[in-house]
């Protein structure tokens, strides 16, 4: 099974900061990687698919990059509504696997 | 409007069974694969199962193999998850998610249904 190692597990940041979250796959997953945002008590929302494609309706301050085994989610100019937990998901091989999550908190 | 609505959750004793349903509307259900994803209280997301458009391909996470069965009824636009031999650790919110296929996955999610396994 493919393991997804997501880092950091938590971070504190200020409004306006640039935030970078990384997911490393235990083996190559092509670009079959998505990023999700989840706020407390809410349904996960897809932000990025195919590693770097922005989901329709998602602000352009969110971007994804990477290929093979290392992937990054970047949030440029963090906004108050961006404080949430973020997850990566690989679906190149089954079982599909999520990263452990990154909680982005207010500094 | 594209919509997924889960139902069937509830309180069940260890060893019991439940069947979850996910009713799809607003899109051609038979054209999409589907996933079940769960989230235990205070924990992260865990992928549970996948079923392809015509049910030809089915996958499970190891922890539910032999106990859970995913299925679908394309005529009724409904996805199912039959859960048997339930354990405490199956307690979670269960979400269904649409899978467009290729390099796109889980683009639309339902609101979730809560399963509590407790004596």
């Amino acid at each position: 099974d493919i393991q997804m190692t997501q880092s950091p597990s938590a971070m504190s940041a200020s409004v306006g900061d640039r935030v970078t979250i990384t997911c490393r796959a235990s083996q190559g997953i092509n670009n079959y990687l998505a990023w999700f945002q989840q706020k407390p008590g809410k349904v996960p929302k897809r932000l990025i698919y195919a590693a770097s494609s922005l989901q329709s309706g998602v602000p352009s301050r969110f971007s994804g990059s990477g290929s093979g085994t290392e992937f990054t989610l970047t949030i440029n100019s963090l906004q108050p509504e961006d404080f949430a937990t973020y997850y990566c998901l690989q679906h190149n091989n089954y079982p599909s696997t999520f990263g452990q999550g990154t909680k982005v908190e207010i500094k | 409007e594209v919509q997924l609505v889960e139902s069937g959750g509830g309180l069940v004793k260890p060893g019991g069974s439940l069947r979850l349903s996910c009713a799809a509307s607003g899109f051609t259900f038979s054209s999409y694969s589907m996933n079940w994803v769960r989230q235990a209280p205070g924990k992260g997301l865990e992928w549970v199962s996948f079923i392809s458009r015509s049910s030809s391909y089915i996958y499970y996470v190891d922890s539910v193999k032999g106990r859970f069965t995913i299925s679908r009824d394309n005529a009724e636009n409904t996805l199912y998850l039959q859960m048997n031999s339930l354990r405490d650790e199956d307690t979670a919110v269960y979400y269904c998610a649409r899978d467009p296929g290729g390099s796109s996955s889980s683009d639309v999610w339902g609101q979730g249904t809560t399963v509590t396994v407790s004596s």
Side-chain angles (χ1 to χ4, degrees):
Chain A
D1 297 357
I2 295 176
Q3 310 304 317
M4 300 300 293
T5 303
Q6 187 173 339
S7 61
S9 55
M11 63 183 302
S12 296
S14 301
V15 172
D17 283 355
R18 183 183 190 194
V19 167
T20 300
I21 299 168
T22 298
C23 265
R24 287 189 176 86
S26 57
Q27 64 189 74
I29 58 170
N30 298 300
N31 67 337
Y32 283 42
L33 183 110
W35 290 97
F36 297 86
Q37 176 194 67
Q38 187 180 33
K39 297 180 181 179
K42 300 297 187 183
V43 177
K45 171 187 174 183
R46 192 174 76 170
L47 303 174
I48 301 288
Y49 65 97
S52 59
S53 296
L54 188 67
Q55 177 72 29
S56 175
V58 172
S60 59
R61 63 180 179 273
F62 291 92
S63 64
S65 63
S67 63
T69 61
E70 186 152 341
F71 301 85
T72 300
L73 173 70
T74 299
I75 311 172
N76 283 304
S77 189
L78 196 70
Q79 297 300 298
E81 60 268 30
D82 301 336
F83 291 96
T85 301
Y86 294 85
Y87 297 92
C88 62
L89 168 71
Q90 75 79 19
H91 56 99
N92 185 67
N93 288 69
Y94 289 94
S96 190
T97 40
F98 284 93
Q100 304 95 316
T102 296
K103 187 173 184 179
V104 178
E105 299 176 303
I106 301 172
K107 184 182 284 185
Chain B
E1 179 192 4
V2 173
Q3 197 170 12
L4 297 171
V5 179
E6 301 95 335
S7 61
L11 175 63
V12 61
K13 289 182 168 54
S17 298
L18 276 178
R19 187 175 84 155
L20 305 184
S21 300
C22 169
S25 60
F27 66 99
T28 304
F29 180 67
S30 59
S31 296
Y32 289 83
S33 300
M34 297 293 294
N35 292 294
W36 284 101
V37 176
R38 68 184 178 182
Q39 187 168 35
K43 302 298 184 182
L45 299 172
E46 179 181 36
W47 175 87
V48 173
S49 185
F50 166 95
I51 186 167
S52 63
R53 291 172 292 180
S54 59
S55 305
S56 298
Y57 298 94
I58 287 175
Y59 305 103
Y60 300 98
V61 67
D62 282 352
S63 60
V64 309
K65 281 180 184 175
R67 300 188 299 121
F68 289 12
T69 302
I70 191 172
S71 63
R72 64 190 297 162
D73 185 335
N74 286 341
E76 296 294 328
N77 295 329
T78 304
L79 172 73
Y80 300 101
L81 186 67
Q82 177 67 43
M83 304 187 297
N84 298 331
S85 303
L86 282 161
R87 304 168 179 168
D88 291 352
E89 55 265 34
D90 296 318
T91 294
V93 176
Y94 285 74
Y95 299 99
C96 59
R98 190 178 76 167
D99 191 315
S103 56
S104 178
S105 175
S106 301
D107 63 339
V108 176
W109 294 55
Q111 85 288 349
T113 188
T114 300
V115 172
T116 303
V117 184
S118 175
S119 53

